[in-house]
Amino acid sequence: TDFNTEWARSYQQSLSDLSFVIKNGSPAQSGAAQILTANIYQTLVDLYGDIPYSEALKGAIEDGAILTPKYDGAKSIYDDLLVKIDEALANLAKGGALGAEDLIYGGDISKWVKFGNSLKLKILVRQSNLSDPSVATKIKSLVSSASFIEAQDEMARVPFSGGAANNWNPQYGSAESGIGMFYVASKSFTTVLSKLNDSRAGVLFNP
């Protein structure tokens, strides 16, 4: 059910809402929604592999009434996400206000640009394992010309307070108020963390 819920929230709920914003929002709103859409698709490919993409979200009659969209391969999705992010950055460059509706960056367009560039870099790094010799050149070109997320306040996240009712990160709420101490570190995982001297061990798990 964990994998089912991840899919349902991302694919069925978030992507369809963002699709509405892309079609009906200002250029800046569309650009931000396009970047979030690319981020979700990239995560879904990482989690599930081949997924519906080119025919996805087209169930409405005016969109073709496609109720059983075909599955696309990871590489083709990654390739198209890079194009979509470029379109998003172009929309952000056209200006327009995001304002208080922007729960992630509070309307700061420059941070959305950094998010878009960082996501492009992440996708290209993923592609570097897919035997495409042109990826290295694309990475070098991007790194030499773009700005990226470099500070904590530039990270793409909704700042949940954690204190007020109904204001927890959903994952935290599920783990802490739902099933409590359900997640336990496996020996194989902690052994790898230990060998790598990975400082995240003390953050991921309580001793």
Side-chain angles (χ1 to χ4, degrees):
T1 56
D2 280 350
F3 281 99
N4 225 21
T5 301
E6 196 74 30
W7 177 268
R9 288 182 176 175
S10 299
Y11 189 89
Q12 295 176 341
Q13 297 174 8
S14 299
L15 287 176
S16 56
D17 287 345
L18 290 168
S19 178
F20 178 85
V21 176
I22 292 170
K23 293 177 181 178
N24 299 284
S26 68
Q29 290 171 330
S30 294
Q34 285 172 304
I35 289 174
L36 285 175
T37 297
N39 184 58
I40 290 173
Y41 272 123
Q42 183 265 314
T43 302
L44 289 176
V45 171
D46 281 359
L47 285 173
Y48 301 99
D50 296 353
I51 62 170
Y53 177 74
S54 60
E55 294 182 350
L57 307 175
K58 295 182 179 180
I61 293 175
E62 61 271 20
D63 293 329
I66 300 174
L67 302 181
T68 54
K70 68 176 183 179
Y71 282 65
D72 296 290
K75 186 179 185 307
S76 66
I77 296 174
Y78 283 154
D79 286 339
D80 195 64
L81 289 179
L82 293 172
V83 175
K84 292 293 193 296
I85 295 172
D86 284 338
E87 292 175 2
L89 294 173
N91 278 328
L92 290 171
K94 294 177 182 177
L98 292 173
E101 291 180 336
D102 178 5
L103 300 180
I104 295 176
Y105 289 129
D108 190 332
I109 298 292
S110 65
K111 290 182 179 178
W112 278 103
V113 171
K114 288 187 175 184
F115 181 19
N117 288 330
S118 299
L119 185 57
K120 282 183 68 175
L121 182 60
K122 183 179 181 181
I123 293 172
L124 285 169
V125 170
R126 290 283 195 274
Q127 283 188 315
S128 66
N129 292 321
L130 297 177
S131 303
D132 186 346
S134 68
V135 170
T137 301
K138 293 176 182 177
I139 290 175
K140 290 178 182 178
S141 175
L142 181 63
V143 169
S144 66
S145 62
S147 57
F148 303 94
I149 293 173
E150 296 183 36
Q152 186 171 342
D153 68 345
E154 295 174 345
M155 293 173 61
R157 61 188 181 92
V158 176
F160 295 98
S161 71
N166 300 318
N167 199 10
W168 281 357
N169 179 297
Q171 297 285 12
Y172 179 85
S174 173
E176 292 296 317
S177 69
I179 51 182
M181 294 297 293
F182 178 83
Y183 298 103
V184 180
S186 68
K187 181 174 176 58
S188 57
F189 190 28
T190 53
T191 298
V192 171
L193 290 173
S194 179
K195 286 182 177 179
L196 295 173
N197 196 25
D198 195 320
S199 60
R200 291 175 295 179
V203 178
L204 295 170
F205 304 109
N206 294 326

